[in-house]
Structures are given as C-alpha cells and as structure tokens.
C-alpha cells in the first residue's frame, strides 16, 4: 500500500473519530488545539529535510547517498550505494511528509475563515507563511525533479480525489517552480513575522535571497538545453536579489539532542561507515587548501588519507576507518562537520558567487571574464571564511598560481571550487552540477559498480509503488522520458 494511501486513510479515521461525540466534549483533548498549528508544520518540514526522520535517509537533503554520488565520501564497509547497487529510491515520504505540511500551511492561510484565527496569525502574517511554504516546497520539488526527472507535480497531493497522479515533464516543473519562486519572494512582507522558522529565524530578507538564489540555480541548470531561457531567468533572479553574505546561508542547525543531531555523528556513535574520499583529499592537497584540516580528521599516523571511492570486496581489507578515539589508516570526516551540533549548509553564499562567476563567463550577466574572476575570488573567500580560515590564509591561498583565476580554464576552476565549497551540504546539488557540466572530474566509470557501463547514474529509478499502483501513468512517463534506468538522462542533462 502506498504511504500516501496510509496517510489519507489515517486522516479520514481521525475525522470520523472526532465526529462521534455522544455528548459534551468527551472526545476533545484539553491539551491539544482543535486548529492547525501552521508554525509547527513549518518546523516539522524543515526538520524532516534535516534528517531527524532517520539519519542519512535518502529523502534528507544532506543524505549520505547524495554525498556518495558526488564522491565526497567513500563507504568503508557496506558498499551498496557507492557501487550503485540501490537503483530504486522512494520519494513518497516527501509527499506525505513536508510537502503535505507545507500545502496545509498555504491552505489554512488562504482560507477566508481560518486565516484570521489567532491560532494561525500567531505564527506570522498570512502572506509570510504562504511565501515561506511556497519557497520551501520549491526547494523540495527541485531536489526531487533533479533526482528522478519527470515527477508528479500538478496532480500531486490531491488526496482521495486522485491516488494516481500523472507525471509532469521536468521542463514544465522547472517553469512552474521558477514562477513560484518569483512570486513567493515578492509576496514576503517588509516586516519579519514568521515563528517556527528554524532555518532563517523569521528573517524575510534571507527567505527572499534564498528564493532568488534557488531561481538562479534552476536557470543555470538550463545552460545547455535552453540557454536563452536560462539567461533570461538568471537575470530575473539577480534582479530579485541573491544572497549577499555568509549570513544569508541556508543553514540547518543540529543540536546535541539525539532527536536532532547531525546524521554523521549518529553514524559515528557506533558505526564508521564513511571516510573522506581520496579524490577530495588529493584535490585539496594539490591546492594546499586549508579546508582539508576542517573537512578531514587525522589518521593514527597524524596524516590525512582518503579512501579511494568505490573500493569494495577484499580491497577494503587494506583500509581501516578506526574510530574517533582510535583512528585507523584512513580519515574520517572532521569533527567540525560531524559533531552532534555541526550545522549543514544547504545553499551557501559561496555557491551563489560561483554561479555568478559562471554566468559572467557565459556572458549571461555583464562583465565577462573580468567579472567572472571577481565573483570567483569572492566565492573562494566566502567558502574559506565559512570554514574559519583567517584573512591572511585566504590571501595566501588566492595568491597561488594553481588557484588564481585563468580565463582559459575558468569553468574547471569555478566548478571545482564550487564542488569543494559544497562539501557535506546538499550532495544532490553537487551531483546535479556534475551531470550538467562533467566537472570536476570524478571517477567515472566506477570500477566494480553495478550501473550501466559502471558509470555514475544520470538519474534514480522510480519507487516500485509507481509501477505497482500507478501503472498507466508510469508507462506514460517512461514512454516520454525514456527507460526507468540509471543511465536515462533528465531534461537538462545534455552531453
């Protein structure tokens, strides 16, 4: 049975039970509000993406799978995901969890009666609640469509009226999401009012900057498939106002509470399934990058050594991750990023600067390579500062010949630095950028992997429930998009 069915049936049962009162208020809990608490729903949606529903679950934004696909980390014991043995990934919990909560926020704040209730307005103005829910929904749908391609969108979340939604073409999803983000950022008020916002602490300007930055990400994704539209949409996003400093980072804050701790800390409590990859270590060492000491922990010999991505079988016997207290001969993730309360940055100011550097190099925005160099240097600086690097060390790093901007290798430099900056943030985003650009140069094919041609997947396969319970629409989408396989390219993924 689909999880969405379960949720809708559960909702129906609650309504029936609530209507079966035989007198007085005997079935009404005195400790529970009869009205929807929209602020708590926003908090819940954000926490879902952060991972409290299960450390490293594949529907978390910072899931282990996304970081593996981007080859930031390597598996030390169980190599199913790094070898692409897991082909089908389930997106149902996106729909039945955060997306349903966010739709409820929009519905309540649009209802002529409910929107004026004190139980609604105490969480912020109607427009601010609607706008933040629209922006967060767009972020989730963007992650989904970039992972699976065509997805249920316009007919999704229809409840009992449609248990078998059709799939929207990714091109149409992108068009709709860019429109949503443009309208939502304009809908935000000039006075902060949101409560329950654990991402931006109720700061409307940060929500606005994030919406426009997501819009820019989508626009740049069209660089090969539809550059004219991409250029126009990128300009629209810039005009709306992108992130302006590290203070604007979309940072999810974990805590020492076990119910909201960093997923890597959870794994490292009694398992050590992930080490930093040798690709990450080699790249940073080659650039004399001070972030290496932040990203990776020392081994038993007080050196930093990565585990070659895709290592499997008997070869794994040559490597030991050890533990935090007793390191082995390969490096775990650094404690600054894997402690219980270590934050995760979903979208960073550095990432946005690197996008602008590429856009300038493509002549999508004014300034050409002169502007590209400026954005590139600012992006490197922002990432270094985000990781606690001193101003003196920033200047030294930027002064190296291997780091200085070179117009002839601009895309390679920009995308490599963006990949470095996105470490343990949103791995799905880095995987999407690799598919779009082929940069930086990852290990591809991956020897021993189980994907077609042992290549890095171009998408993920639909959950089995779509074949079993939505067959007509499933057949229609594979006829349009291509086989439901790991090597089928999504709309924007061109050679």
């Amino acid at each position: 049975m689909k999880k969405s069915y379960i949720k809708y049936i559960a909702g129906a049962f609650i309504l029936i039970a609530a209507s079966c009162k035989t007198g007085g208020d005997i079935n009404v809990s005195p400790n529970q509000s009869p009205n929807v608490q929209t602020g708590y729903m926003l908090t819940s949606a954000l926490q879902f993406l952060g991972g409290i529903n299960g450390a490293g679950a594949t529907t978390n934004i910072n899931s282990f799978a996304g970081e593996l696909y981007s080859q930031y980390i390597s598996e030390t014991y169980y190599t199913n995901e790094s070898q692409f043995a897991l082909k089908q990934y389930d997106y149902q919990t996106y729909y039945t969890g955060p997306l349903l909560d966010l739709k409820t926020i929009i519905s309540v704040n649009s209802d002529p009666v409910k929107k004026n209730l004190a139980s609604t307005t105490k969480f912020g103005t109607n427009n601010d609640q609607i706008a933040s829910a629209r922006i967060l929904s767009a972020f989730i749908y963007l992650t989904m469509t970039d992972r699976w391609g065509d997805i249920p969108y316009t007919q999704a979340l229809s409840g009992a009226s449609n248990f078998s939604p059709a799939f929207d073409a990714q091109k149409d999803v992108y068009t709709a999401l860019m429109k949503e983000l443009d309208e939502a950022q304009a809908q935000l008020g000039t006075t902060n009012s949101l409560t329950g916002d654990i991402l931006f602490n109720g700061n409307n300007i940060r929500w606005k900057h994030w919406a426009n930055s997501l819009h820019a990400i989508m626009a740049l994704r069209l660089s090969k498939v539809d550059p004219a539209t991409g250029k126009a949409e990128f300009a629209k996003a810039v005009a709306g106002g992108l992130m302006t400093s590290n203070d604007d980072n979309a940072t999810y804050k974990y805590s020492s509470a076990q119910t909201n701790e960093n997923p890597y800390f959870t794994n490292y409590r009694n398992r050590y399934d992930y080490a930093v990859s040798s690709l990450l270590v080699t790249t940073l060492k080659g650039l004399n990058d001070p972030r290496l000491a932040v990203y990776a922990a020392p081994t038993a010999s007080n050196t930093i050594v990565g585990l070659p991505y895709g290592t499997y079988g008997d070869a794994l016997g040559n490597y030991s991750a050890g533990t935090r207290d007793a390191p082995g001969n390969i490096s775990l993730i650094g404690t600054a990023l894997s402690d219980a309360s270590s934050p995760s940055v979903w979208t960073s100011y550095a990432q946005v600067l690197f996008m602008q550097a590429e856009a300038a190099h493509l002549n999508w925005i004014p300034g050409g390579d002169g502007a590209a160099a400026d954005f590139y240097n600012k992006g490197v600086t922002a990432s270094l500062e985000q990781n606690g690097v001193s101003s003196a060390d920033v200047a030294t790093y930027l002064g190296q010949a291997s780091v200085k901007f070179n117009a002839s290798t601009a895309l390679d430099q920009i995308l490599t630095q963006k990949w470095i900056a996105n470490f343990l943030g949103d791995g799905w985003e880095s995987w999407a950028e690799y598919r779009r650009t082929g940069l930086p140069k990852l290990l591809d094919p991956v020897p021993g992997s189980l994907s077609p041609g042992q290549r890095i997947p171009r998408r993920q396969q639909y959950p089995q429930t779509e074949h079993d319970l939505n067959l007509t629409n499933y057949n229609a989408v594979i006829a349009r998009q291509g086989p439901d396989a790991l090597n089928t390219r999504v709309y924007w993924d061109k050679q």
Side-chain angles (χ1 to χ4, degrees), residues 301-419:
S301 60
N302 203 33
T303 58
I304 293 178
V305 181
L307 172 61
Y309 184 84
T311 303
Y312 70 100
D314 292 342
L316 278 173
N318 298 320
Y319 303 98
S320 169
T323 68
R324 286 176 180 265
D325 297 328
N329 63 0
I330 52 174
S331 295
L332 298 172
I333 298 165
T335 55
L337 299 177
S338 62
D339 272 348
S341 58
S342 297
S344 175
V345 180
W346 297 346
T347 309
S348 70
Y349 174 50
Q351 176 185 344
V352 171
L353 288 165
F354 290 129
M355 287 194 300
Q356 292 176 88
E358 183 179 349
H361 179 70
L362 295 173
N363 291 314
W364 280 17
I365 56 178
D369 281 329
D374 184 53
F375 283 123
Y376 168 83
N377 288 332
K378 289 178 178 177
V380 172
T381 300
S383 177
L384 291 169
E385 291 178 346
Q386 178 187 320
N387 287 284
V389 178
S390 69
S391 297
D393 287 342
V394 169
T396 299
Y397 183 74
L398 286 171
Q400 299 179 107
S402 59
V403 177
K404 284 184 177 179
F405 183 85
N406 185 330
S408 65
T409 56
L411 284 180
D412 195 352
Q413 286 184 298
I414 292 167
L415 271 298
T416 296
Q417 287 290 341
K418 184 195 280 190
W419 178 78

Side-chain angles (χ1 to χ4, degrees), residues 133-331:
R134 293 174 78 182
I135 294 166
L136 189 57
S137 294
F139 177 56
I140 297 170
Y141 277 121
L142 173 58
T143 301
M144 293 175 64
T145 189
D146 284 347
R147 289 176 64 181
W148 287 279
D150 298 0
I151 56 171
Y153 179 71
T154 54
Q155 294 183 15
L157 306 175
S158 299
S161 64
N162 187 359
F163 282 134
S164 302
F167 291 74
D168 293 76
Q170 186 178 46
K171 178 181 180 180
D172 297 333
V173 174
Y174 258 57
T175 299
L177 293 182
M178 286 189 281
K179 182 175 182 290
E180 274 289 287
L181 289 166
D182 193 37
E183 293 177 355
Q185 65 88 24
Q187 189 176 14
L188 288 161
T190 57
T191 302
N192 299 335
S193 71
L194 284 175
T195 62
D197 170 19
I198 59 173
L199 189 65
F200 293 124
N201 198 30
N203 188 310
N204 282 9
I205 293 298
R206 294 179 67 193
W207 275 102
K208 183 184 288 283
H209 287 172
W210 192 38
N212 291 320
S213 298
L214 293 173
H215 192 158
I217 287 172
M218 300 183 72
L220 194 56
R221 204 87 88 219
L222 304 181
S223 62
K224 291 184 178 180
V225 67
D226 188 357
T229 298
K231 181 178 180 179
E233 292 294 334
F234 197 92
K236 188 184 297 183
V238 171
L242 306 178
M243 291 179 173
T244 60
S245 73
N246 279 329
D247 290 338
D248 276 347
N249 289 349
T251 303
Y252 184 84
K253 301 176 182 65
Y254 293 101
S255 68
S256 57
Q258 191 168 344
T259 54
N260 189 38
E261 66 187 16
N262 185 294
Y264 291 95
F265 181 83
T266 303
N267 182 266
Y268 284 177
R269 180 183 286 113
N270 49 31
R271 296 168 60 108
Y272 292 87
D273 291 327
Y274 306 99
V276 294
S277 72
S278 58
L279 175 65
L280 178 73
V281 172
T282 300
T283 301
L284 295 184
K285 282 185 175 180
L287 297 171
N288 297 310
D289 198 310
R291 286 169 289 191
L292 181 59
V294 180
Y295 290 0
T299 64
S301 60
N302 203 33
T303 58
I304 293 178
V305 181
L307 172 61
Y309 184 84
T311 303
Y312 70 100
D314 292 342
L316 278 173
N318 298 320
Y319 303 98
S320 169
T323 68
R324 286 176 180 265
D325 297 328
N329 63 0
I330 52 174
S331 295

Side-chain angles (χ1 to χ4, degrees), residues 12-29:
F13 174 78
I14 291 169
L15 289 174
I16 292 170
S19 67
C20 292
K21 290 191 289 184
T22 57
D25 290 330
I26 190 170
N27 291 318
V28 177
S29 170

Side-chain angles (χ1 to χ4, degrees), residues 408-466:
S408 65
T409 56
L411 284 180
D412 195 352
Q413 286 184 298
I414 292 167
L415 271 298
T416 296
Q417 287 290 341
K418 184 195 280 190
W419 178 78
I420 295 171
N422 284 357
F423 178 64
L424 294 198
D426 179 357
W428 300 122
E429 170 64 22
S430 294
W431 175 47
E433 285 295 86
Y434 173 74
R435 288 177 287 155
R436 178 178 72 88
T437 66
L439 296 169
K441 296 296 184 183
L442 304 182
L443 179 64
D444 190 11
V446 178
S449 62
L450 302 177
S451 58
Q454 299 185 334
R455 305 303 299 268
I456 294 174
R458 311 308 295 193
R459 62 178 290 274
Q460 293 177 317
Q461 292 180 202
Y462 293 120
Q464 185 65 33
T465 49
E466 293 294 7

Side-chain angles (χ1 to χ4, degrees), residues 8 58 62 78 105 114 126 179 268 342 415 444 474:
Y8 291 127
T58 58
N62 62 331
Y78 306 104
I105 292 172
K114 294 178 182 178
N126 298 133
K179 182 175 182 290
Y268 284 177
S342 297
L415 271 298
D444 190 11
Y474 174 81

